[in-house]
Amino acid sequence: ALIFTLVACGSEEKNETQEMTAVSAAAETTEKTSIQDAANQADTYLSIMAFSYQGLIDQLEFEGYTTEAATYGADHCGADWNEQAVIKAKDYLEVMPFSYSGLIHQLEYSGFTSEQATCGADNCEADWNEQAAKKAESYVSDGSASSREELISLLETAGFTDEQASYGATEAGY
């Protein structure tokens, strides 16, 4: 009986080692699959909307990918981050008016580098006078400004130049 027990223990240890090796190999395969899935998911996200590099990593992590897999996905998705900044800038301008500097700040807040954000603002084809006029209208409609001077001051505080602010105030009827 003693010999049988030793053989059984040795056999269990061998089976346990084989199981651990199989589990380790399965985990490695799962991780490789997860990394490739993250790269594919990154491509899918970028086909739907613009992201900064960091924003894409954050989104992939939110979806449950590890930091390693999410970073791999962002690194290997083939994105042109300057192009993503331009697309995101245009998206922002469709929703609300921005000054040039305000748009750069918003893009940086969204995770784009200063250079990428500047590229986005430089290439989004915005008419900054029109942006000032839209922003002036919003200030007038919410009662923020009661005079031309006050409206111009608000527009300049939002980052518009004096010329753009004057244009915006005139377009808003002030």
Side-chain angles (χ1 to χ4, degrees):
L2 184 57
I3 294 174
F4 177 75
T5 304
L6 288 175
V7 171
C9 287
S11 178
E12 285 176 17
E13 286 178 20
K14 186 177 180 183
N15 286 342
E16 202 172 289
T17 301
Q18 287 173 339
E19 286 177 22
M20 289 175 61
T21 301
V23 167
S24 177
E28 187 176 315
T29 301
T30 300
E31 182 62 22
K32 286 180 184 175
T33 301
S34 176
I35 285 173
Q36 188 55 50
D37 286 349
N40 292 338
Q41 188 65 43
D43 287 335
T44 300
Y45 281 131
L46 292 174
S47 71
I48 297 169
M49 66 174 30
F51 282 92
S52 66
Y53 175 80
Q54 187 59 52
L56 184 57
I57 290 172
D58 292 345
Q59 180 62 38
L60 290 167
E61 287 178 334
F62 177 78
E63 292 295 325
Y65 292 98
T66 64
T67 300
E68 178 187 4
T71 302
Y72 179 91
D75 286 343
H76 292 87
C77 65
D80 176 336
W81 302 112
N82 285 330
E83 180 183 348
Q84 290 297 306
V86 172
I87 294 166
K88 186 60 109 177
K90 289 178 179 181
D91 290 347
Y92 282 133
L93 292 174
E94 286 181 15
V95 177
M96 64 187 319
F98 283 93
S99 66
Y100 176 80
S101 62
L103 183 58
I104 290 172
H105 178 75
Q106 182 62 43
L107 290 166
E108 289 173 343
Y109 182 79
S110 296
F112 290 99
T113 66
S114 179
E115 294 79 17
Q116 292 162 350
T118 300
C119 178
D122 285 344
N123 294 288
C124 68
E125 302 173 353
D127 178 334
W128 302 112
N129 282 332
E130 280 305 308
Q131 291 298 308
K134 289 178 182 178
K135 189 69 168 176
E137 287 293 333
S138 73
Y139 285 141
V140 169
S141 68
D142 72 11
S144 296
S146 58
S147 69
R148 178 177 176 81
E149 294 75 26
E150 191 175 18
L151 183 55
I152 289 173
S153 177
L154 286 170
L155 291 168
E156 288 176 344
T157 300
F160 291 101
T161 65
D162 182 55
E163 182 182 304
Q164 294 162 350
S166 295
Y167 179 88
T170 299
E171 290 297 303
Y174 279 80

